[in-house]
Amino acid sequence: MAFSSPPVRLWLLPSAVLLIGSATWGTLRYPHLPDRIPKHIGAGGVDAWTDRSIGSVFLLVFVYAGTTILMAGCAELTLRVTPLDELPHSDASPFAAAQATSPLLNRPSSRAAARRVARALLLFNTCIGISFLAGCGILWRSTPDPNVPAWLFAAMTLPLLAGTAVTIAAAVRGRKR
């Protein structure tokens, strides 16, 4: 996908590195994994198991690849939206005033605001990748241990919260100006 703004393309690089790194790590770990791997991690640790297969081992990698494509597309669409400051004046068209003030549209106020939101979306995707990487660390252990370290919840939740906060802040800031 070719981005409208080349500098935004660089913000996709960390996600690509995480995706390639996790796929490589999983490929190297696959032959050493036990026959049964964690399927679900509950409050008390691993509470469901599944047989080792390409789909079960690489599920988080596949989901992250899809999320990366989705977030890259959302960032691109954000860059392609006409910002409020570039919309025609209300006297030029009878629909322009309604288009500019519609509560159904979350338009950025300027091109700069659109770039900030696009970068925030790609940063959020990187945070999702970091969270999934922590999950892969548990999924790809060499022994079928039902115990899960206490830090896992924080390691998977904190990057998601940070990415969400940055994205919301960028969207709100871009809407106010």
Side-chain angles (χ1 to χ4, degrees):
M1 172 177 289
F3 281 98
S4 300
S5 177
V8 174
R9 212 175 296 142
L10 293 174
W11 286 80
L12 192 55
L13 189 60
S15 294
V17 168
L18 279 169
L19 186 58
I20 292 166
S22 61
T24 302
W25 181 29
T27 301
L28 294 173
R29 291 290 311 135
Y30 188 82
H32 307 288
L33 294 176
D35 292 334
R36 297 184 51 78
I37 61 169
K39 180 179 182 181
H40 184 263
I41 300 171
V46 177
D47 56 10
W49 299 87
T50 188
D51 293 331
R52 179 182 72 175
S53 69
I54 300 291
S56 63
V57 170
F58 289 96
L59 178 65
L60 290 177
V61 177
F62 296 150
V63 169
Y64 185 53
T67 303
T68 300
I69 292 167
L70 178 69
M71 290 295 213
C74 288
E76 175 65 18
L77 290 174
T78 299
L79 293 171
R80 290 179 184 224
V81 163
T82 305
L84 287 172
D85 64 356
E86 294 178 15
L87 286 175
H89 297 296
S90 61
D91 56 350
S93 164
F95 300 107
Q99 188 180 24
T101 59
S102 173
L104 299 176
L105 298 175
N106 188 15
R107 287 185 189 278
S109 60
S110 65
R111 287 277 167 216
R115 282 190 299 274
R116 276 193 302 275
V117 170
R119 287 190 304 256
L121 286 170
L122 296 177
L123 177 65
F124 183 35
N125 190 64
T126 300
C127 292
I128 292 169
I130 292 168
S131 176
F132 281 8
L133 204 56
C136 288
I138 297 301
L139 186 67
W140 297 338
R141 293 184 292 184
S142 297
T143 58
D145 185 6
N147 296 322
V148 176
W151 55 262
L152 180 66
F153 181 74
M156 291 187 76
T157 306
L158 292 177
L160 296 175
L161 292 175
T164 301
V166 168
T167 304
I168 290 172
V172 168
R173 180 178 176 210
R175 190 78 170 127
K176 287 185 177 179
R177 294 185 179 234

